[in-house]
Amino acid sequence: LDYSTTAKICGARHLGGSDLVVSEACLGTMTFGAQTAKLFDQLDYARCVGVNFIDTAEMYPVPMTAPDWMPGSTEEIVGNYLSKIGSVQRDDLVVATKITGYMTNSFVAAVRTAPPAGKPFPDCRLDAESIHTACTASSASTSNGPIDLMQIHWPDRYLPSFGQTEFKSDLVRDDSIPIEETAAALRDLIEAGKIRYIGLSNESPLGVCEWVKATTNLGFRDCLVSIQNSYSLLDRGFDGDLAEVCNFHNIGLLPWSILAGGLLGGKYSKGQTAPPDSRFVKYPAYMKRWSPVTASVATLDAVERYAKSRKRIQYL
């Protein structure tokens, strides 16, 4: 690392095998536009404490059940902020976004074009045309510049995710878009200067290996640099064979929901009254595996024990 240029980046490191220098912490924006206020203030504060890495997605904000949900609005918020600070300061940041995986009859796909497509809405798929359309929409929303890191939010094929832990073979579809087609479209976008690097999200060891094979065959393996999967004290699924695969291929982990939707933050502990604008107060059915209303007894008991241990450590 060139420490003369990274001195203000907190915990500066390369992202995977890329030349992208990012802060140890990344500012996730999935609640910008639905659950979170004072958005520019948050972005300003993050930069002030050395965060140069911002992550968003075309389907944000979440949850999609929010009355005012509008996919793409979080990207627009980030884009408006980038326009506000200007190109010189924008160049100090690493901006990542995501293309939505398989989702039928999706309003996310509908709003990629202007005017939006009517009902029935098109499906979100990872074919070449959809990749190009999604990238064009994301680029326009985030200030029309090259996207530093374009991620696949989840696969086109069936894969248990977002709290699902059991693979069910009867859910496997025979119409999945080949990874090679998705990868080739992303390579074309890199060659066109529209994106710089690519990443995966909510993937499995099999998926990572198939992506490594596809990008190797297509001649741009060094551009596959990251994976964004759930990881917290309540979700250690990455720690096994997926960690081995990513370590071997020098693919960096971007953990999402490290506080399990806020459950590990303490505000939902017994005896506490969570603020009315807290995530699980506003949306008690969101992230059911972690919501204090719907999480398992074992999960909630473990969280309580963790909260008590934190208090003991604070007073040692």
Side-chain angles (χ1 to χ4, degrees):
L1 293 178
D2 181 355
Y3 289 99
S4 65
T5 60
T6 62
K8 295 182 179 180
I9 301 175
C10 183
R13 76 275 316 279
H14 286 289
L15 180 60
S18 75
D19 64 358
L20 294 175
V21 178
V22 298
S23 49
E24 181 177 15
C26 175
L27 179 62
T29 63
M30 75 175 191
T31 61
F32 283 27
Q35 304 176 46
T36 307
K38 298 182 178 180
L39 307 178
F40 281 18
D41 290 347
Q42 289 196 40
L43 289 159
D44 283 338
Y45 179 77
R47 292 173 59 218
C48 284
V49 296
V51 173
N52 78 325
F53 196 7
I54 301 172
D55 176 72
T56 186
E58 66 166 343
M59 70 165 288
Y60 289 169
V62 293
M64 293 189 292
T65 55
D68 54 352
W69 176 67
M70 173 60 68
S73 59
T74 304
E75 283 187 328
E76 289 183 4
I77 291 168
V78 172
N80 290 338
Y81 180 79
L82 298 178
S83 296
K84 170 181 172 288
I85 64 175
S87 60
V88 174
Q89 294 184 62
R90 159 62 182 96
D91 290 344
D92 292 334
L93 301 176
V94 174
V95 178
T97 190
K98 310 180 201 72
I99 297 174
T100 304
Y102 179 78
M103 181 189 293
T104 58
N105 189 29
S106 174
F107 191 48
V108 177
V111 299
R112 288 172 177 167
T113 57
K119 294 183 177 180
F121 298 135
D123 297 339
C124 278
R125 301 301 302 270
L126 296 179
D127 58 281
E129 181 179 359
S130 296
I131 293 293
H132 283 272
T133 302
C135 181
T136 298
S138 290
S139 179
S141 296
T142 55
S143 290
N144 288 309
I147 295 168
D148 297 311
L149 177 67
M150 178 61 84
Q151 303 156 99
I152 299 300
H153 209 155
W154 62 85
D156 193 271
R157 72 187 191 283
Y158 160 70
L159 183 67
S161 56
F162 301 110
Q164 300 171 342
T165 57
E166 180 183 353
F167 182 85
K168 298 181 179 180
S169 60
D170 59 315
L171 296 180
V172 175
R173 309 185 328 274
D174 59 6
D175 68 338
S176 298
I177 303 299
I179 286 175
E180 291 81 359
E181 179 176 345
T182 308
L186 291 169
R187 178 203 58 190
D188 293 345
L189 290 167
I190 290 174
E191 292 178 350
K194 295 183 178 180
I195 61 178
R196 296 179 62 191
Y197 291 96
I198 63 172
L200 310 175
S201 184
N202 301 298
E203 259 296 3
S204 68
L206 172 64
V208 173
C209 291
E210 290 298 305
W211 270 93
V212 168
K213 181 170 69 175
T215 53
T216 298
N217 291 340
L218 291 166
F220 75 123
R221 164 64 190 88
D222 58 338
C223 291
L224 175 61
V225 299
S226 66
I227 181 172
Q228 186 170 161
N229 274 34
S230 172
Y231 188 78
S232 71
L233 291 175
L234 291 177
D235 186 353
R236 305 298 290 270
F238 183 84
D239 282 340
D241 42 10
L242 190 51
E244 178 190 20
V245 169
C246 291
N247 180 70
F248 183 81
H249 292 294
N250 200 12
I251 294 173
L253 171 65
L254 304 178
W256 62 261
S257 216
I258 58 174
L259 291 179
L263 185 61
L264 291 169
K267 68 176 71 175
Y268 304 105
S269 297
K270 292 179 181 178
Q272 298 285 333
T273 300
D277 59 349
S278 298
R279 180 177 305 175
F280 292 133
V281 174
K282 293 182 68 174
Y283 310 107
Y286 182 56
M287 293 182 165
K288 291 183 177 181
R289 60 201 180 280
W290 297 326
S291 171
V293 177
T294 55
S296 68
V297 172
T299 294
L300 296 177
D301 285 347
V303 170
E304 283 300 313
R305 292 196 300 273
Y306 170 68
K308 291 178 181 178
S309 70
R310 287 180 60 204
K311 290 180 181 179
R312 287 196 297 270
I313 292 172
Q314 288 173 359
Y315 290 106
L316 287 178

